[in-house]
Structure formats: C-alpha cells, structure tokens
Amino acid sequence: MTTSMNNRPMRNGLHSRHFLQHQPAPAPVNGEVRRNLRKPIRIMKFGGTSVGDAGSIGKVVEIIRSAARESHVVVVVSAMSGVTNQLVAAASQAEAGDYQRVAAILAELRRQHDAAADALIHSSAERSSINRKVEELLQEGDRLCRGTMLLGELTPRTRDAISSLGERLSAPLVAAALAECGVASEAIEATELVVTDSCHGAADPFMDLTRERCHSGLRPLLELDIVPVVTGFIGATTDGILTTLGRGGSDYSATILGAALTADEVIIWTDVDGLQTADPRLVTGGRTIPEISYREAAELAYFGAKVLHPKTLRAVMQCGIPLWIRNTFAPERPGTKITPSGPASAAGVKALTALNEVALITVGGPGLAGVQDVLGRTFRTTAAVRADVLLISQASSQNDLCLVIASALGKGMVEALRHEFAHDLAHEPAKHIALDPTVAMVTVVGQNMRSVPGVVGRTFAALDRENVNIIAIAQGSSECTFSFVVAKQDVKTTLASLHQEFRLGNPRHLATAAGSAASDEDENYYQPWEPVATGRPNQEQ
Ligand code: ADP
Ligand code: ASP
Ligand code: MG
C-alpha cells in the first residue's frame, strides 16, 4: 500500500518541532469529518521488547490494527529494547571523554534502527524518510555527547536529552510500520503533550496543563481516525525543556495520557502474560493474576515488580480507569486486569516481590539512647538527600532504628546521618550509624490480609524451615503489605518457600512441589485461568 508523508501544520503552543505523519491514501468518507469520538478510547503502551525488532513490531502493528477497528487507539512506545541502556552508556562515555566509544554506540543504534526500517517499510520514499529521521536524531545525540565531553560534565538535563532519543527513534518507526499496513498514524513527541516539573530523571506531570495539551493535540487526530504514536518516557517543562519520567517510565506515560483523555482503558503490552504471583525470573511455577486492585498493583510496582513503573497507578487512581497488562507475543491470553478495588472475593496473599538494589542503614547504640528526636532528625536527613524510605523498624526504648533505602543512595545517606549526629556522638568510640549493602527486601502483598490470620506467623515458620534469617520487618499501615529484610543470597529461597507456603503457584506445580494439589477452598488459592470479568478488550480476533 502506498503511503504519503506530509508535515502537519504546527499547532499553537506546541514545543517540539518533530512531526511525522504517515497516512495511507485518503479513503473517500463523503467529505465528512467526524467531530465527536463515538468509539471507546484505548491507550496501548508497548514496551522495549515489544518493539525490539522488526518481527516484534509486526506483532504490535497487528494488535493495533485490530484494536483500531473498534476503538480510538493512542499508542505509547518505549525505545527498542536495550537502546536506552546504550544511550545512557554513551552519555557516561562522553562524560569520561571517550568519543570513540560514543561514536561506536551511535553507529550501532543507527544500524539497529535502519535494519528494522528496511524490514518493515517497503516504500523506498518512506524508508529514506525514516532513515533521514534516524540520522537527524543520532546527530542530535552526537552533538549532545560532544557538548558533554567539552564541559567534562553530564548534567541531569543533558542526560535526559540523550536518554530520550530511544523513544524519539522508535515512535516514527512504529508509525511508519502502521502506515505500511494501512493504519493512518502520526508520530508525536510527548514533549508536546506531557507537561512536567523540572525534576530531571524523575519528572512528574502537571495534569491540568497535560490535559489541555492532550485535548488539543490528540483529540483532533482521533476524530480523523488517525492513531497517534506517542513517545513514552518523556515530557517537557512549561518552558519546553525535555524531561524524563524515570527508567521504565513509559508505563507512567500511558496512564498519564489515559487520565488526560479520560480513556476507557489503558493496556500495557509487554513480554509476560500479565502480573505474575512473583517475578518469573526468580520463581518458577508462578501464575498470572486475573484481576487485582489498584492498591495491590501499586504496592507490587513500588516494591520491585518491574513489569510496572512504580508511579504507573498514580495517574489513574483518581479516575478509576481499568488498566491491563497483556502479552504482545500471546495476545490471545487474557492478561491481568487492574481495577480500583479488585475482585470482590479475593482475600489473603496475592503476590510476592523483592528489591535487590537496597541497603540497610542502622542508627543506634548507647550514645544515642538519651538523644532527643532521633527519629525526626533521621527523617529530615532522608528528606534532604531525597531518599525514599522503603522500610523502617524501630526499637523505641533505645532509639535504635533501621531503615531500607535504594542502595545508590546508601553512602550519601550514611554520610549525611553521621554529619547530623556528629555533635551527639563526638565522644563515642563505637560505630552508631552503619550501612549494610548485602541485604534485599521482600514484600508480601494482598488486599484484606488482615482478614486472613497467621500470615506473619506462616512466613516466619516457612523461612525458619529454610534457615533464612529475617533481619528486619515492618507491616505496611494499610495491611496490604508486609515487608522484611533478608540477606541478598536468601532472596530466591525466600520467594520460593513463601510462594509455596501461600499456594500462589499453578496447581500442577503445587502438586509436585508441595506433595498435594491445592484445594479450591483455600483462601490463598484461586483458579489460574478463570474467565476474566467483563470489560476485557477484544482487539484480537
Ligand atoms: P517492558 O519492556 O515491556 O516495559 P519490562 O522488562 O519493564 O517490560 O517488564 C516486564 C518484566 O518484568 C517481565 O519480563 C518480568 O521479568 C518482570 N517482572 C518482575 N516482576 C514481575 C511480576 N510480578 N509479574 C510479571 N512480570 C514481572
Ligand atoms: N526506554 C525507557 C527505559 O528503558 C523507558 C521505558 O522503557 O519505559 O527506561
Ligand atoms: Mg517496563
């Protein structure tokens, strides 16, 4: 099919100047342009593996083409898999002054994107247009890296600009692949749509401004049945400076757009069947959870389930839009539906998650026993180094406390605490503030866990049987989570034994692992492939 590629007129107030339009030859529609959106709006986000090569993009195109028949689709894309890591590496090499390495990385990215374009786009005019776009973006990357080398410093703003190139490369490619298959589409940079604060590397959206931009920038396209292909991961400040939402942030981009457009649903297409009862890389015999609540999914994401960016649920919490996680490579499978309150009947432990990249900081000892406000001062210090405290546990009579934070912040945090308590501990020979980077944090997640007695006791007993030592423990205030700290080397054993203890796996696996099949009456067991509630998207026939 022939495609045409025109530059759309620039719209007022938009910042980015990168517009590509891919439309099949216009079909006669009696000259009538629909003014209103009468079909449901679906936001479909495709992760790095889903757009990892031409073959995968082909599957993505089929899913979108099918969905676009019965709904207005807004596509959000990640960079091709591995590309953001390569760009981050190029930025670091530039800071280190190694231009050869930078050039080699950019050349490899050019090869990767050109190869995908060659396989996906048959029209030579379209293909050269994509090749030019790839070249233009990589030259921008080259200039940013040269600038970094010149200064000998990689600023957060430049790091964002370099790492954003992956999504800016993949969106035009996916849009062109859609056009090739007869789906009118337009690549759009999210700098035009998602207005954020200026917190580079972890930006958050200003929703009112983002809503306005999405209405003016996306609705007109949807009215024309054009599929916008939006870059995930990025946004821009009110001054038009590019920001990123954080690694893995395209999931968050999808829910931000979903909330801004009051979409009917948001679907995160990835490389697994849905949200699993545990990370499939760490536990075998896990199961896809058919339905789960916002709260549970948010806790799983926050405490380590990589399949969702930790902030993904934030954007839809207020509006109740259902969120799905589905498998690009097995679109016939139902996936996981994430709803405001989850399935009515399900109580008890739903899933397990673990965070490996954490450190345990202990504050305590005889020298701090009489010191006033140790807790308050510790928290003020964590706020000053912008560290999220993932777990805290305190022994009140002694002022002893331990907290878990991301390991990248561990050293800085310990220095800041030693500085804060320097005066109090000036004459203390013993170490009062210590860092342990050899730990991991495991979290048990389940709504209404309070109605299932003995979860903590069963956890202790199961880990005792495996000789796993629990170093610290804390129950979340919502009783939806319960977290504890173990040695990194014990994580796999911990997850496997709790997965079995709470009968989270599929029955076949349980029958061999636990010696008997799970019973349907067990409150911590529910059918693996039970039919999913209504409202499931039906984009693949
Ligand atoms: P994408 O590139 O599509 O954004 P990610 O790699 O970010 O995909 O996330 C998907 C991966 O998350 C899966 O391949 C799986 O290894 C990992 N993962 C970790 N915990 C879970 C979980 N509880 N359920 C499903 N996947 C999980
Ligand atoms: N490409 C970005 C990353 O790798 C964002 C994403 O994939 O969600 O972190
Ligand atoms: Mg991801």
Side-chain angles (χ1 to χ4, degrees), residues 45 248 251 306-307:
K45 177 261 173 177
D251 302 325
K306 182 173 179 260
V307 67

Side-chain angles (χ1 to χ4, degrees), residues 404-442:
V404 174
I405 62 169
S407 48
L409 299 173
K411 264 188 157 174
M413 179 71 194
V414 164
E415 274 164 27
L417 283 169
R418 287 191 178 142
H419 181 73
E420 171 65 33
F421 292 107
H423 183 69
D424 308 278
L425 299 174
H427 304 296
E428 290 294 332
K431 224 180 178 185
H432 281 69
I433 296 162
L435 175 74
D436 183 353
T438 67
V439 299
M441 188 175 130
V442 175

Side-chain angles (χ1 to χ4, degrees), residues 7-24:
N7 281 324
R8 288 175 65 81
M10 289 313 294
R11 283 166 258 172
N12 289 341
L14 300 184
H15 294 292
S16 168
R17 297 290 177 265
H18 300 285
F19 254 97
L20 277 174
Q21 186 185 21
H22 303 271
Q23 270 192 272

Side-chain angles (χ1 to χ4, degrees), residues 3 28 35 44 92 97 125 140-141 151 168 171 198 246 268 422 487 508 521:
T3 56
R35 287 275 153 234
M44 294 188 157
S92 304
E140 191 177 331
L151 293 172
R168 296 176 62 202
S198 56
I268 307 283
R508 229 174 330 130
E521 280 88 57

Side-chain angles (χ1 to χ4, degrees), residues 45 47-49 251 269-272 274-276 278-281 305-307:
K45 177 261 173 177
T49 325
D251 302 325
W269 291 93
T270 184
D271 59 0
V272 281
L275 200 52
Q276 310 283 304
D279 185 342
R281 293 165 303 181
K306 182 173 179 260
V307 67

Side-chain angles (χ1 to χ4, degrees), residues 33-86:
V33 173
R34 283 179 305 112
R35 287 275 153 234
N36 298 312
L37 303 179
R38 284 190 228 99
K39 295 188 282 185
I41 302 178
R42 292 197 165 114
I43 314 294
M44 294 188 157
K45 177 261 173 177
F46 294 89
T49 325
S50 303
V51 295
D53 56 24
S56 306
I57 295 176
K59 294 186 193 308
V60 165
V61 166
E62 274 318 302
I63 290 170
I64 298 167
R65 185 158 71 151
S66 179
R69 288 193 203 116
E70 48 153 39
S71 51
H72 296 289
V73 178
V74 175
V75 172
V76 174
V77 285
S78 290
M80 294 175 83
S81 59
V83 167
T84 312
N85 284 347
Q86 287 304 309

Side-chain angles (χ1 to χ4, degrees), residues 360-369 371 373-375 377-379 381-382 392-395 398-403 413-414 416-418 420-421 425 431-435:
L360 179 75
I361 291 177
T362 46
V363 179
L368 284 173
V371 175
D373 195 24
V374 170
L375 196 58
R377 287 167 67 188
T378 301
F379 274 130
T381 312
T382 59
I392 178 153
S393 149
Q394 188 198 12
Q398 276 276 333
N399 263 341
D400 283 1
L401 58 100
C402 59
L403 34 104
M413 179 71 194
V414 164
L417 283 169
R418 287 191 178 142
E420 171 65 33
F421 292 107
L425 299 174
K431 224 180 178 185
H432 281 69
I433 296 162
L435 175 74

Side-chain angles (χ1 to χ4, degrees), residues 45-48 76-79 84-85 88 163 167 201-203 232-234 244-256 268-270 301 305-313:
K45 177 261 173 177
F46 294 89
V76 174
V77 285
S78 290
T84 312
N85 284 347
V88 170
S163 59
E167 275 70 12
F233 185 47
I234 65 181
T244 66
L245 309 178
R247 292 304 306 272
S250 301
D251 302 325
Y252 193 26
S253 307
T255 50
I256 291 170
I268 307 283
W269 291 93
T270 184
K306 182 173 179 260
V307 67
L308 285 178
H309 181 271
K311 292 182 188 167
T312 309
L313 270 302

